[in-house]
Amino acid sequence: MQDTLLIGDHVFVDRLTPTGTKGFLGRLLPYRDIRRGDTAVFLSPADPGTYLVKRIIAVPGDASISRRENCT
């Protein structure tokens, strides 16, 4: 991911769009399914208070193969 985001870069995150809403607000708030190549920001399970930025490489139904030395 270093080609897109560099260490020390600042990122603005929209926390409402990817949540998806049903009912009345579903028509007012934009929503789309997560796609390959999207960037996801979430809290680290190992270090509370730290946000992780990751790229989506597969969606449900996809098969992915990774080599251990390339996983971070």
Side-chain angles (χ1 to χ4, degrees):
M1 232 168 117
Q2 202 159 1
D3 295 333
T4 304
L5 294 173
L6 301 175
I7 296 170
D9 282 354
H10 295 274
V11 178
F12 288 101
V13 178
D14 177 8
R15 294 173 65 175
L16 295 177
T17 301
T19 59
T21 339
K22 304 282 185 206
F24 175 71
L25 289 178
R27 288 177 265 155
L28 298 175
L29 295 174
Y31 171 71
R32 66 174 179 81
D33 291 331
I34 294 174
R35 297 182 286 207
R36 244 176 264 104
D38 286 351
T39 304
V41 179
F42 54 93
L43 284 170
S44 169
D47 186 16
T50 300
Y51 288 94
L52 299 177
V53 179
K54 300 291 180 179
R55 179 161 302 145
I56 305 298
I57 60 167
V59 293
D62 286 352
S64 63
I65 300 172
S66 62
R67 296 185 182 136
R68 186 68 179 154
E69 66 269 8
N70 292 336
C71 295
T72 58

